[in-house]
Coordinates of all heavy atoms in Angstrom, one line a residue:
E182 N 13.3 4.1 0.1 CA 13.1 3.4 -1.3 C 12.0 3.9 -1.9 O 10.9 4.0 -1.3 CB 13.0 1.9 -1.0 CG 12.9 1.2 -2.3 CD 12.7 -0.4 -2.2 OE1 13.1 -0.8 -1.1 OE2 12.2 -0.9 -3.1
M183 N 12.2 4.4 -3.1 CA 11.0 5.0 -3.8 C 10.5 4.0 -4.9 O 11.2 3.2 -5.4 CB 11.5 6.3 -4.6 CG 11.9 7.4 -3.6 SD 10.7 8.0 -2.5 CE 9.5 8.7 -3.7
L184 N 9.2 4.1 -5.1 CA 8.5 3.1 -6.1 C 8.3 3.8 -7.3 O 7.4 3.5 -8.1 CB 7.1 2.8 -5.4 CG 7.1 2.1 -4.0 CD1 5.8 1.7 -3.6 CD2 8.1 0.9 -4.1
T185 N 9.1 4.8 -7.7 CA 8.9 5.6 -8.9 C 8.7 4.8 -10.1 O 7.8 5.0 -10.9 CB 10.0 6.6 -9.1 OG1 10.2 7.3 -8.0 CG2 9.9 7.6 -10.3
N186 N 9.7 3.7 -10.4 CA 9.5 2.9 -11.5 C 8.1 2.2 -11.6 O 7.6 2.1 -12.7 CB 10.6 1.9 -11.6 CG 12.0 2.6 -11.7 OD1 12.0 3.7 -12.4 ND2 12.9 2.0 -11.3
D187 N 7.6 1.8 -10.5 CA 6.4 1.1 -10.5 C 5.2 1.9 -10.6 O 4.3 1.7 -11.2 CB 6.2 0.3 -9.2 CG 7.2 -0.9 -9.0 OD1 7.6 -1.4 -10.1 OD2 7.6 -1.2 -7.9
L188 N 5.4 3.2 -10.1 CA 4.2 4.1 -10.1 C 3.9 4.5 -11.6 O 2.6 4.9 -11.8 CB 4.5 5.4 -9.3 CG 4.4 5.1 -7.8 CD1 4.8 6.3 -7.0 CD2 3.1 4.6 -7.4
R189 N 4.8 4.4 -12.5 CA 4.5 4.8 -13.9 C 3.7 3.7 -14.5 O 3.0 4.0 -15.5 CB 5.7 5.0 -14.6 CG 6.5 6.2 -14.4 CD 7.6 6.4 -15.2 NE 8.8 5.9 -14.5 CZ 9.9 5.7 -14.9 NH1 10.2 5.7 -16.2 NH2 11.0 5.3 -14.1
L190 N 3.6 2.6 -13.9 CA 2.9 1.5 -14.5 C 1.6 1.1 -13.7 O 0.9 0.2 -14.1 CB 3.8 0.1 -14.4 CG 5.1 0.3 -15.2 CD1 5.9 -0.9 -14.9 CD2 4.8 0.5 -16.6
V191 N 1.3 1.9 -12.7 CA 0.2 1.6 -11.8 C -1.2 1.9 -12.4 O -1.4 2.8 -13.0 CB 0.3 2.4 -10.5 CG1 -0.9 2.3 -9.7 CG2 1.5 1.9 -9.7
N192 N -2.1 0.8 -12.3 CA -3.5 1.0 -12.7 C -4.0 2.1 -11.7 O -4.0 1.9 -10.5 CB -4.2 -0.4 -12.4 CG -5.6 -0.3 -12.6 OD1 -6.2 0.7 -12.6 ND2 -6.2 -1.5 -12.7
L193 N -4.6 3.1 -12.2 CA -5.1 4.1 -11.5 C -6.2 3.8 -10.5 O -6.4 4.4 -9.4 CB -5.7 5.4 -12.3 CG -4.5 6.1 -13.2 CD1 -5.2 7.1 -14.1 CD2 -3.4 6.7 -12.3
W194 N -6.9 2.7 -10.6 CA -7.8 2.2 -9.8 C -7.3 1.7 -8.5 O -8.0 1.6 -7.5 CB -8.7 1.2 -10.5 CG -9.6 1.7 -11.5 CD1 -9.5 1.7 -12.8 CD2 -10.8 2.4 -11.3 NE1 -10.4 2.3 -13.5 CE2 -11.3 2.8 -12.6 CE3 -11.6 2.9 -10.2 CZ2 -12.5 3.6 -12.8 CZ3 -12.6 3.5 -10.4 CH2 -13.2 3.9 -11.6
I195 N -5.9 1.5 -8.4 CA -5.4 0.9 -7.2 C -4.5 2.0 -6.5 O -3.7 1.6 -5.6 CB -4.7 -0.4 -7.3 CG1 -3.4 -0.2 -8.2 CG2 -5.6 -1.5 -8.0 CD1 -2.5 -1.3 -8.0
M196 N -4.7 3.2 -6.8 CA -3.8 4.2 -6.1 C -4.2 4.3 -4.7 O -3.4 4.7 -3.8 CB -4.0 5.6 -6.8 CG -3.3 5.7 -8.1 SD -1.5 5.2 -8.1 CE -0.9 6.5 -7.1
W197 N -5.4 3.9 -4.3 CA -5.8 3.9 -2.9 C -4.9 3.0 -2.0 O -4.5 3.4 -0.9 CB -7.3 3.4 -2.8 CG -7.4 1.9 -3.2 CD1 -7.7 1.4 -4.4 CD2 -7.3 0.8 -2.4 NE1 -7.8 0.1 -4.5 CE2 -7.6 -0.4 -3.1 CE3 -7.0 0.5 -1.0 CZ2 -7.5 -1.7 -2.8 CZ3 -6.9 -0.8 -0.6 CH2 -7.2 -1.9 -1.4
A198 N -4.3 1.9 -2.7 CA -3.5 1.0 -1.9 C -2.1 1.7 -1.8 O -1.4 1.6 -0.7 CB -3.3 -0.3 -2.6
F199 N -1.6 2.3 -2.8 CA -0.3 3.0 -2.8 C -0.3 4.1 -1.8 O 0.6 4.4 -1.0 CB 0.2 3.6 -4.1 CG 0.7 2.4 -5.0 CD1 0.0 1.6 -5.8 CD2 2.2 2.2 -5.1 CE1 0.6 0.6 -6.6 CE2 2.7 1.3 -5.9 CZ 1.9 0.4 -6.5
S200 N -1.4 4.9 -1.8 CA -1.4 6.1 -0.8 C -1.6 5.6 0.6 O -1.0 6.2 1.5 CB -2.6 7.0 -1.2 OG -3.9 6.4 -1.1
S201 N -2.3 4.4 0.8 CA -2.5 4.0 2.2 C -1.1 3.4 2.6 O -0.8 3.6 3.9 CB -3.5 2.9 2.2 OG -4.8 3.3 1.7
A202 N -0.4 2.7 1.8 CA 0.8 2.1 2.3 C 1.7 3.3 2.6 O 2.5 3.3 3.5 CB 1.4 1.2 1.1
G203 N 1.8 4.3 1.7 CA 2.6 5.4 2.0 C 2.3 6.2 3.3 O 3.2 6.6 4.1
H204 N 1.0 6.3 3.5 CA 0.6 7.0 4.8 C 1.2 6.2 6.0 O 1.7 6.8 7.0 CB -1.0 6.9 4.9 CG -1.6 7.4 6.1 ND1 -1.7 8.7 6.4 CD2 -2.1 6.8 7.2 CE1 -2.2 8.9 7.6 NE2 -2.4 7.7 8.0
L205 N 1.0 4.9 6.0 CA 1.5 4.1 7.2 C 3.1 4.1 7.2 O 3.6 4.2 8.3 CB 1.0 2.7 7.2 CG 1.4 1.9 8.4 CD1 0.8 2.5 9.6 CD2 0.8 0.5 8.1
E206 N 3.7 4.1 6.1 CA 5.2 4.2 6.0 C 5.6 5.5 6.7 O 6.5 5.5 7.6 CB 5.8 4.2 4.6 CG 5.5 2.9 4.0 CD 5.8 3.1 2.4 OE1 6.1 4.1 1.9 OE2 5.5 2.0 1.8
D207 N 4.9 6.6 6.4 CA 5.2 7.9 7.0 C 5.0 7.9 8.5 O 5.8 8.4 9.3 CB 4.4 9.0 6.3 CG 4.8 9.4 5.0 OD1 5.9 8.9 4.5 OD2 4.1 10.0 4.3
R208 N 3.9 7.3 9.0 CA 3.7 7.2 10.4 C 4.8 6.5 11.2 O 5.1 6.8 12.2 CB 2.3 6.5 10.7 CG 1.1 7.1 10.1 CD 0.8 8.5 10.7 NE 1.4 9.5 9.9 CZ 1.6 10.7 10.2 NH1 1.2 11.2 11.3 NH2 2.2 11.6 9.5
F209 N 5.2 5.3 10.6 CA 6.3 4.6 11.2 C 7.5 5.5 11.3 O 8.2 5.6 12.4 CB 6.7 3.4 10.4 CG 5.8 2.1 10.7 CD1 5.3 1.5 9.6 CD2 5.4 1.7 11.9 CE1 4.5 0.3 9.7 CE2 4.7 0.7 12.1 CZ 4.2 0.0 11.1
C210 N 7.9 6.1 10.2 CA 9.1 7.0 10.2 C 8.9 8.2 11.1 O 9.9 8.5 12.0 CB 9.4 7.5 8.8 SG 11.0 8.2 8.5
I211 N 7.9 8.8 11.2 CA 7.7 10.0 12.1 C 7.7 9.5 13.5 O 8.3 10.1 14.4 CB 6.3 10.8 11.7 CG1 6.6 11.5 10.4 CG2 6.1 11.7 12.8 CD1 5.3 12.0 9.7
H212 N 6.9 8.5 13.9 CA 6.8 8.0 15.2 C 8.0 7.6 15.8 O 8.4 7.6 17.0 CB 5.7 7.0 15.3 CG 5.4 6.5 16.7 ND1 4.8 7.3 17.6 CD2 5.7 5.4 17.5 CE1 4.6 6.7 18.8 NE2 5.2 5.4 18.7
S213 N 8.9 7.0 15.0 CA 10.3 6.5 15.4 C 11.4 7.4 15.2 O 12.5 7.1 15.3 CB 10.6 5.2 14.7 OG 10.9 5.5 13.3
D214 N 11.1 8.7 15.0 CA 12.1 9.8 14.7 C 13.2 9.3 13.6 O 14.3 9.6 13.7 CB 12.9 10.1 15.9 CG 12.0 10.8 17.0 OD1 11.1 11.6 16.6 OD2 12.2 10.6 18.2
G215 N 12.6 8.7 12.5 CA 13.4 8.3 11.5 C 14.1 7.0 11.5 O 14.8 6.6 10.7
Q216 N 13.9 6.3 12.7 CA 14.5 5.0 12.9 C 14.0 3.9 12.1 O 14.7 3.0 11.7 CB 14.6 4.6 14.3 CG 15.3 5.7 15.2 CD 16.8 5.7 14.8 OE1 17.5 4.8 14.7 NE2 17.3 7.0 14.5
I217 N 12.6 3.9 11.9 CA 11.9 2.9 11.0 C 11.6 3.4 9.7 O 10.9 4.3 9.5 CB 10.7 2.4 11.7 CG1 10.9 1.8 13.1 CG2 10.0 1.5 10.8 CD1 9.8 1.5 13.9
K218 N 12.3 3.0 8.6 CA 12.1 3.3 7.3 C 11.8 2.0 6.5 O 12.7 1.2 6.2 CB 13.4 3.9 6.6 CG 13.6 5.3 7.4 CD 15.0 5.9 6.8 CE 15.3 7.2 7.6 NZ 16.5 7.7 7.2
V219 N 10.5 1.8 6.2 CA 10.0 0.6 5.6 C 9.2 0.9 4.5 O 8.4 2.0 4.4 CB 9.2 -0.3 6.6 CG1 8.0 0.5 7.1 CG2 8.9 -1.6 6.0
T220 N 9.2 0.2 3.4 CA 8.3 0.3 2.2 C 7.3 -0.9 2.3 O 7.7 -2.0 2.2 CB 9.1 0.2 0.9 OG1 10.1 1.3 0.9 CG2 8.2 0.5 -0.3
L221 N 6.0 -0.5 2.4 CA 5.1 -1.5 2.5 C 4.5 -1.9 1.1 O 4.5 -1.2 0.2 CB 3.9 -1.0 3.4 CG 4.4 -0.6 4.9 CD1 3.2 0.0 5.7 CD2 5.0 -1.9 5.6
S222 N 3.7 -3.1 1.2 CA 3.2 -3.6 -0.1 C 1.9 -3.2 -0.3 O 0.8 -3.6 0.2 CB 3.3 -5.2 0.0 OG 2.6 -5.7 -1.0
P223 N 1.6 -2.4 -1.4 CA 0.2 -2.0 -1.8 C -0.4 -3.3 -2.4 O -1.7 -3.4 -2.3 CB 0.4 -1.0 -2.8 CG 1.8 -0.9 -3.2 CD 2.5 -1.6 -2.2
Q224 N 0.3 -4.2 -3.0 CA -0.2 -5.5 -3.6 C -1.0 -6.2 -2.6 O -1.9 -6.8 -2.8 CB 1.0 -6.2 -4.2 CG 0.4 -7.5 -5.1 CD -0.3 -7.0 -6.3 OE1 0.2 -6.1 -7.1 NE2 -1.5 -7.6 -6.5
D225 N -0.4 -6.3 -1.3 CA -1.0 -7.0 -0.2 C -2.4 -6.5 0.1 O -3.4 -7.4 0.1 CB -0.2 -7.0 1.0 CG -0.6 -8.1 2.1 OD1 -1.0 -9.1 1.7 OD2 -0.3 -7.7 3.2
M226 N -2.6 -5.3 0.0 CA -4.0 -4.7 0.2 C -4.9 -5.0 -1.0 O -6.1 -5.3 -0.8 CB -3.8 -3.1 0.5 CG -3.3 -2.9 1.9 SD -3.3 -1.1 2.1 CE -1.6 -0.8 1.4
V227 N -4.4 -4.8 -2.1 CA -5.1 -5.2 -3.4 C -5.7 -6.7 -3.4 O -6.8 -6.9 -3.6 CB -4.4 -4.9 -4.6 CG1 -5.1 -5.4 -5.8 CG2 -4.1 -3.4 -4.8
N228 N -4.7 -7.5 -2.9 CA -5.1 -9.0 -2.9 C -6.0 -9.3 -1.7 O -6.9 -10.2 -1.8 CB -3.8 -9.8 -2.6 CG -2.9 -9.7 -3.9 OD1 -3.2 -9.3 -4.9 ND2 -1.7 -10.2 -3.7
C229 N -5.9 -8.6 -0.5 CA -6.5 -9.1 0.6 C -7.5 -8.2 1.4 O -8.2 -8.6 2.2 CB -5.4 -9.4 1.7 SG -4.2 -10.6 1.1
S230 N -7.6 -6.9 1.0 CA -8.6 -6.0 1.6 C -9.9 -6.2 0.9 O -10.2 -5.5 0.0 CB -8.0 -4.6 1.6 OG -9.0 -3.8 2.2
F231 N -10.7 -7.0 1.5 CA -12.0 -7.3 0.8 C -13.1 -6.2 1.0 O -14.0 -6.1 0.3 CB -12.6 -8.7 1.2 CG -11.6 -9.7 0.8 CD1 -11.0 -10.5 1.9 CD2 -11.4 -10.1 -0.5 CE1 -10.1 -11.5 1.5 CE2 -10.5 -11.1 -0.8 CZ -9.9 -11.8 0.2
E232 N -12.8 -5.4 2.0 CA -13.7 -4.2 2.2 C -13.5 -3.2 1.0 O -14.5 -2.4 0.7 CB -13.5 -3.5 3.6 CG -13.7 -4.4 4.8 CD -12.6 -5.4 5.1 OE1 -11.5 -5.2 4.7 OE2 -12.9 -6.3 5.8
S233 N -12.4 -3.2 0.5 CA -12.2 -2.4 -0.7 C -12.5 -3.2 -1.9 O -12.8 -4.3 -1.8 CB -10.7 -1.8 -0.7 OG -10.5 -0.9 0.4
F234 N -12.1 -2.6 -3.1 CA -12.6 -3.4 -4.2 C -11.4 -3.9 -5.1 O -11.5 -4.0 -6.3 CB -13.5 -2.5 -5.1 CG -14.7 -2.1 -4.3 CD1 -14.8 -0.8 -3.9 CD2 -15.7 -3.0 -4.0 CE1 -15.9 -0.4 -3.1 CE2 -16.8 -2.5 -3.4 CZ -16.9 -1.2 -2.9
G235 N -10.3 -4.1 -4.5 CA -9.1 -4.6 -5.2 C -8.6 -3.7 -6.3 O -8.5 -2.5 -6.2
C236 N -8.6 -4.2 -7.5 CA -8.1 -3.5 -8.7 C -9.3 -2.6 -9.3 O -9.1 -1.9 -10.2 CB -7.8 -4.4 -9.8 SG -6.3 -5.3 -9.4
E237 N -10.5 -2.7 -8.7 CA -11.6 -1.8 -9.2 C -11.7 -0.6 -8.3 O -12.8 0.2 -8.5 CB -12.9 -2.7 -9.1 CG -12.8 -3.9 -9.9 CD -12.7 -3.7 -11.4 OE1 -13.3 -2.7 -11.9 OE2 -11.9 -4.4 -12.0
G238 N -10.8 -0.2 -7.5 CA -10.9 1.0 -6.7 C -11.0 0.6 -5.2 O -11.3 -0.6 -4.9
G239 N -10.8 1.6 -4.4 CA -10.9 1.3 -2.9 C -11.0 2.6 -2.2 O -10.9 3.7 -2.8
Y240 N -11.1 2.6 -0.9 CA -11.2 3.8 0.0 C -10.0 3.9 1.0 O -9.7 2.9 1.6 CB -12.4 3.8 0.7 CG -13.6 3.8 -0.2 CD1 -14.4 2.6 -0.5 CD2 -14.1 5.0 -0.8 CE1 -15.5 2.6 -1.4 CE2 -15.2 5.0 -1.7 CZ -15.9 3.8 -2.0 OH -16.8 3.8 -2.9
L241 N -9.4 5.0 1.1 CA -8.4 5.2 2.0 C -8.7 4.9 3.5 O -8.0 4.2 4.1 CB -7.9 6.7 2.0 CG -6.7 7.1 2.8 CD1 -5.5 6.3 2.4 CD2 -6.4 8.6 2.7
T242 N -9.9 5.2 3.9 CA -10.3 4.9 5.3 C -10.3 3.4 5.6 O -9.9 2.9 6.5 CB -11.6 5.6 5.7 OG1 -12.6 5.2 4.7 CG2 -11.4 7.1 5.8
Q243 N -10.9 2.7 4.6 CA -11.0 1.2 4.7 C -9.7 0.5 4.7 O -9.4 -0.4 5.4 CB -12.0 0.7 3.6 CG -13.5 1.0 3.9 CD -14.3 0.5 2.7 OE1 -13.9 0.4 1.7 NE2 -15.6 0.3 3.1
A244 N -8.8 1.1 3.8 CA -7.5 0.6 3.7 C -6.7 0.8 5.1 O -6.0 -0.2 5.5 CB -6.7 1.2 2.5
I245 N -6.8 1.9 5.6 CA -6.2 2.2 6.9 C -6.7 1.2 8.1 O -6.0 0.8 8.8 CB -6.4 3.7 7.4 CG1 -5.7 4.6 6.4 CG2 -5.9 3.9 8.7 CD1 -4.3 4.4 6.2
D246 N -8.1 1.0 8.0 CA -8.6 0.0 8.9 C -8.0 -1.4 8.7 O -7.7 -2.1 9.7 CB -10.1 0.0 8.7 CG -10.9 1.2 9.4 OD1 -10.2 2.0 10.1 OD2 -12.0 1.4 8.9
F247 N -7.9 -1.8 7.4 CA -7.3 -3.1 7.2 C -5.9 -3.1 7.7 O -5.5 -4.1 8.3 CB -7.3 -3.3 5.5 CG -6.5 -4.5 5.1 CD1 -7.2 -5.7 5.3 CD2 -5.3 -4.4 4.7 CE1 -6.5 -6.9 4.9 CE2 -4.6 -5.5 4.3 CZ -5.2 -6.8 4.3
L248 N -5.1 -2.1 7.4 CA -3.7 -2.1 7.8 C -3.6 -2.2 9.4 O -2.7 -2.8 9.9 CB -3.0 -0.8 7.4 CG -2.7 -0.8 5.8 CD1 -2.3 0.6 5.5 CD2 -1.7 -1.9 5.5
S249 N -4.5 -1.5 10.1 CA -4.5 -1.5 11.5 C -4.9 -2.8 12.1 O -4.4 -3.2 13.2 CB -5.6 -0.4 12.0 OG -5.2 0.8 11.7
T250 N -5.8 -3.6 11.5 CA -6.2 -4.8 12.0 C -5.4 -6.0 11.5 O -5.2 -6.9 12.1 CB -7.8 -5.0 11.9 OG1 -8.0 -5.0 10.4 CG2 -8.5 -4.0 12.5
E251 N -5.1 -5.9 10.2 CA -4.6 -7.1 9.6 C -3.0 -7.0 9.3 O -2.3 -8.0 9.2 CB -5.2 -7.3 8.2 CG -6.7 -7.5 8.3 CD -7.0 -8.8 9.0 OE1 -6.4 -9.8 8.9 OE2 -8.1 -8.7 9.7
G252 N -2.5 -5.8 9.3 CA -1.1 -5.6 9.1 C -0.8 -5.7 7.4 O -1.9 -6.0 6.8
T253 N 0.3 -5.7 7.0 CA 0.7 -5.9 5.7 C 2.1 -6.4 5.4 O 2.9 -6.3 6.4 CB 0.4 -4.7 4.8 OG1 0.5 -5.0 3.4 CG2 1.4 -3.5 5.2
S254 N 2.5 -6.8 4.3 CA 3.8 -7.3 4.0 C 4.7 -6.1 3.6 O 4.1 -5.1 3.2 CB 3.8 -8.3 2.8 OG 2.9 -9.4 3.1
T255 N 5.9 -6.2 3.5 CA 6.8 -5.2 2.9 C 6.8 -5.4 1.5 O 6.4 -6.4 0.9 CB 8.3 -5.5 3.4 OG1 8.7 -6.7 3.0 CG2 8.3 -5.4 4.9
Y256 N 7.2 -4.3 0.8 CA 7.2 -4.4 -0.7 C 8.2 -5.3 -1.2 O 7.9 -5.9 -2.3 CB 7.5 -2.9 -1.1 CG 7.5 -2.8 -2.6 CD1 6.2 -2.4 -3.2 CD2 8.6 -3.0 -3.4 CE1 6.1 -2.4 -4.6 CE2 8.4 -2.9 -4.8 CZ 7.2 -2.5 -5.4 OH 7.1 -2.5 -6.8
K257 N 9.3 -5.5 -0.5 CA 10.3 -6.4 -0.9 C 9.7 -7.9 -0.9 O 10.0 -8.8 -1.7 CB 11.5 -6.3 0.0 CG 12.8 -7.1 -0.4 CD 13.9 -7.0 0.6 CE 15.2 -6.8 -0.2 NZ 16.3 -6.5 0.7
C258 N 8.9 -8.2 0.1 CA 8.3 -9.5 0.3 C 7.2 -9.8 -0.8 O 7.0 -10.8 -1.3 CB 7.7 -9.5 1.6 SG 8.1 -11.1 2.5
L259 N 6.4 -8.7 -1.1 CA 5.3 -8.8 -2.1 C 5.2 -7.6 -2.9 O 4.5 -6.6 -2.6 CB 4.1 -9.0 -1.3 CG 2.7 -9.3 -2.1 CD1 2.8 -10.6 -2.9 CD2 1.6 -9.4 -1.2
P260 N 6.1 -7.5 -4.0 CA 6.1 -6.3 -4.9 C 4.8 -6.2 -5.6 O 3.9 -7.1 -5.8 CB 7.3 -6.6 -5.7 CG 7.5 -8.0 -5.6 CD 7.0 -8.5 -4.4
Y261 N 4.5 -5.0 -6.1 CA 3.4 -4.7 -7.0 C 3.4 -5.5 -8.3 O 4.5 -5.5 -8.9 CB 3.2 -3.2 -7.1 CG 2.2 -2.8 -8.3 CD1 0.8 -3.0 -8.0 CD2 2.6 -2.3 -9.6 CE1 0.0 -2.7 -8.9 CE2 1.7 -1.9 -10.4 CZ 0.4 -2.2 -10.2 OH -0.6 -1.9 -11.1
E262 N 2.4 -6.0 -8.7 CA 2.3 -6.7 -9.9 C 1.2 -6.1 -10.8 O 0.0 -6.1 -10.4 CB 1.9 -8.2 -9.7 CG 3.0 -9.0 -9.0 CD 2.4 -10.4 -8.7 OE1 1.4 -10.9 -9.3 OE2 3.1 -11.1 -7.8
N263 N 1.6 -5.5 -11.9 CA 0.5 -4.8 -12.8 C -0.1 -5.9 -13.6 O 0.4 -6.1 -14.7 CB 1.3 -3.7 -13.6 CG 0.3 -2.9 -14.3 OD1 -0.9 -2.9 -14.2 ND2 0.8 -2.1 -15.2
R264 N -1.2 -6.4 -13.2 CA -2.0 -7.4 -14.0 C -3.4 -6.8 -14.3 O -4.1 -6.2 -13.7 CB -2.2 -8.6 -13.2 CG -0.9 -9.3 -12.9 CD -1.3 -10.7 -12.3 NE -0.7 -10.9 -11.0 CZ -0.9 -11.9 -10.3 NH1 -1.8 -12.8 -10.6 NH2 -0.2 -12.2 -9.2

């Protein structure tokens, strides 16, 4: 599932969350030989990753740490909200 429609509306300051979610989605797919195809929620990281700065910007390494320790929701469960 592609987020193309949403990406046209994304605040550029939160691209760190989209790239981090995409990174982990790729890892799942590669590690499972294509068996796991999931779209993760960048909104969850924007809302909950306090090490990053939410809508004010963030860092890929901190986002990956957050995903490793806290996990995240799927995009279907918590879609991106452009606010």
Side-chain angles (χ1 to χ4, degrees):
E182 177 181 341
M183 296 298 292
L184 304 178
T185 307
N186 292 333
D187 291 332
L188 288 176
R189 285 184 265 162
L190 304 172
V191 169
N192 170 345
L193 292 178
W194 289 102
I195 68 161
M196 287 307 293
W197 64 271
F199 278 86
S200 62
S201 302
H204 173 80
L205 188 56
E206 291 164 8
D207 290 347
R208 298 294 92 195
F209 279 131
C210 190
I211 291 167
H212 186 71
S213 69
D214 291 325
Q216 296 299 308
I217 299 174
K218 296 178 183 175
V219 63
T220 304
L221 300 176
S222 173
Q224 187 68 49
D225 194 28
M226 285 180 277
V227 171
N228 293 349
C229 301
S230 178
F231 300 111
E232 293 80 23
S233 292
F234 304 105
C236 292
E237 301 300 318
Y240 299 100
L241 181 60
T242 53
Q243 290 174 335
I245 298 299
D246 288 344
F247 173 80
L248 291 170
S249 297
T250 59
E251 303 297 325
T253 191
S254 301
T255 63
Y256 188 84
K257 190 179 223 177
C258 228
L259 187 61
Y261 171 67
E262 297 174 16
N263 188 11
R264 298 190 228 170

